[in-house]
Amino acid sequence: MLMHRIRSTLKYATHNPKLVTGVCLLLGLVLIGAVGPWFVDTEKARPISVPTNKQPSAQYPLGTDSGGRDVLSVMVVATPQTLRMGLMAGLVGVLIGTSLGLISAYYGGLADTLISGVTDTMLTIPPLAVLLVVAASFRALNIEMMALIIASLSWMNSTRALRAQVLSLKELPYIHMSRLSGLSDIRIIAEEILPNILPLAAAHFVGAVSGAILAGIGLEVLGLGPQDTPTLGMTIYWAMLYTALIRGMWWWWMPPILVLIVLFIGLFLISTALDEFANPRLQRQGIR
C-alpha cells in the first residue's frame, strides 16, 4: 500500500505543471543559500562590514544599507534562514496535527472529546495576539524558538482536517477486514490509514510552512524577530526603521519583498497541486 502510494505520488509529481513549477521556484531559493556563499562573501552580511548607503554598483550589486551591510550578502544569508524557520514550524505543526487527528478519529471516546475540545478552543483564539505576547516575553529570540512558538499555534487546522479524513477511512470495508484478520491498531494505522492521508498531510504541511513564514515575517517586521540573525523579515524591519522607502533606498527593501513573492508563489502552486492530488473529486474532474 505504502509503496503503491509513493509510486503514484512520484508519477503525479512529474506530470503536474503546478507542482513542477512550484518545486523549481523553491529549489531556486534553496540554491541561493546553498551556492551563494561560494560566490558572495557572507561576512559582509554583518553590521559595519562595508560602507553605508551605497547604491547598487559593480562592487555591491544590490547596494549597502544604513547598518553597513551588503544587501546581496544579506539575501544569501537571510533566504535560507527564513526557509528553515518556516520548514521547522510547518513540520512540527503538521506532525502534532497528524498525530492528534489520528488518535482522535481512530480511537474516539474520551480521547476524541478532549482533542476536539482543545482544538476547537484553540481555533477561537487569535493567533497573532498570542504570538505577539509570547514573542515579546523572550528577551532574545532565535530561529528555533520562533519556529516552536509559531508551531504551537499552527496545528489545529491540520488536526481537524485529518481527523475528518480518518473518520471516513476507518469505516471502509477493508479497515473492518483488517481488524477481523487480527491486525493491531498500530499496524492498521501505519499500513492502511496513514498512506491514504499522506497527500492531505503534505498539502497541510505546505500550507503550514507558508503560514509560518507569514507569521514569522509579521513578528520580525514588528521588531520581535532574531536581532543577530539576518532574515527576510528582519531586513524589511531594518529598512522600515531607517526609513529606506522615504530616502529612496529601493535596493534595501525591494530584494526581500521579491524573494518573498517568489517564495509564496512557489508554495501556493505546490499546495494547490497537492490539494488536487488529495481530492478525489478534483481527480475525477480530470484536473490531475
Side-chain angles (χ1 to χ4, degrees):
M1 174 71 73
L2 182 58
M3 292 304 299
H4 174 74
R5 175 63 66 176
I6 292 175
R7 286 195 295 268
S8 176
T9 301
L10 291 176
K11 180 180 178 181
Y12 172 79
T14 57
H15 290 81
N16 187 284
K18 294 180 183 177
L19 188 59
V20 172
T21 303
V23 170
C24 288
L25 290 176
L26 291 188
L27 284 178
L29 296 180
V30 170
L31 286 175
I32 292 176
V35 181
W38 296 355
F39 304 96
V40 176
D41 184 6
T42 55
E43 290 297 318
K44 294 180 179 180
R46 298 178 180 275
I48 320 178
S49 58
V50 294
T52 61
N53 303 328
K54 294 291 185 181
Q55 294 188 17
S57 62
Q59 185 177 6
Y60 304 110
L62 292 181
T64 67
D65 62 20
S66 297
R69 292 173 288 248
D70 179 15
V71 177
L72 178 59
S73 300
V74 171
M75 290 297 98
V76 170
V77 176
T79 300
Q81 293 293 343
T82 299
L83 281 171
R84 185 162 69 93
M85 185 272 296
L87 289 171
M88 289 177 59
L91 181 61
V92 173
V94 169
L95 284 176
I96 295 173
T98 302
S99 301
L100 293 178
L102 279 169
I103 294 170
S104 175
Y106 186 83
Y107 291 102
L110 181 60
D112 186 29
T113 302
L114 289 175
I115 293 174
S116 298
V118 172
T119 301
D120 292 340
T121 302
M122 292 292 292
L123 284 171
T124 63
I125 301 174
L128 181 59
V130 178
L131 285 173
L132 288 173
V133 172
V134 175
S137 301
F138 290 92
R139 187 166 300 178
L141 281 177
N142 55 33
I143 295 295
E144 290 76 16
M145 292 173 64
M146 280 192 64
L148 291 176
I149 292 171
I150 294 170
S152 66
L153 294 169
S154 63
W155 52 269
M156 293 83 72
N157 287 324
S158 57
T159 298
R160 174 178 279 186
L162 291 167
R163 174 184 176 274
Q165 183 78 356
V166 175
L167 281 174
S168 62
L169 287 173
K170 66 180 289 189
E171 300 301 329
L172 294 177
Y174 78 92
I175 298 295
H176 291 293
M177 291 299 298
S178 298
R179 292 197 190 96
L180 293 174
S181 65
L183 286 180
S184 65
D185 291 339
I186 298 299
R187 287 193 61 184
I188 293 174
I189 291 174
E191 298 178 7
E192 305 296 342
I193 294 180
L194 190 58
N196 286 287
I197 66 172
L198 282 179
L200 182 59
H204 274 272
F205 168 68
V206 176
V209 171
S210 180
I213 292 174
L214 188 61
I217 290 170
L219 292 176
E220 291 166 346
V221 168
L222 294 174
L224 298 176
Q227 302 294 317
D228 300 329
T229 304
T231 63
L232 297 176
M234 290 306 298
T235 303
I236 297 174
Y237 166 73
W238 292 120
M240 292 172 56
L241 185 65
Y242 286 95
T243 62
L245 183 62
I246 297 176
R247 295 161 61 191
M249 297 176 65
W250 57 267
W251 61 86
W252 191 353
W253 54 265
M254 185 176 291
I257 291 177
L258 291 178
V259 172
L260 287 173
I261 290 173
V262 173
L263 174 59
F264 284 119
I265 290 176
L267 289 171
F268 173 76
L269 291 174
I270 294 174
S271 179
T272 302
L274 290 174
D275 185 57
E276 292 173 1
F277 180 62
N279 191 335
R281 183 179 301 174
L282 295 179
Q283 294 180 21
R284 287 195 296 269
Q285 292 174 356
I287 299 183
R288 281 186 59 182

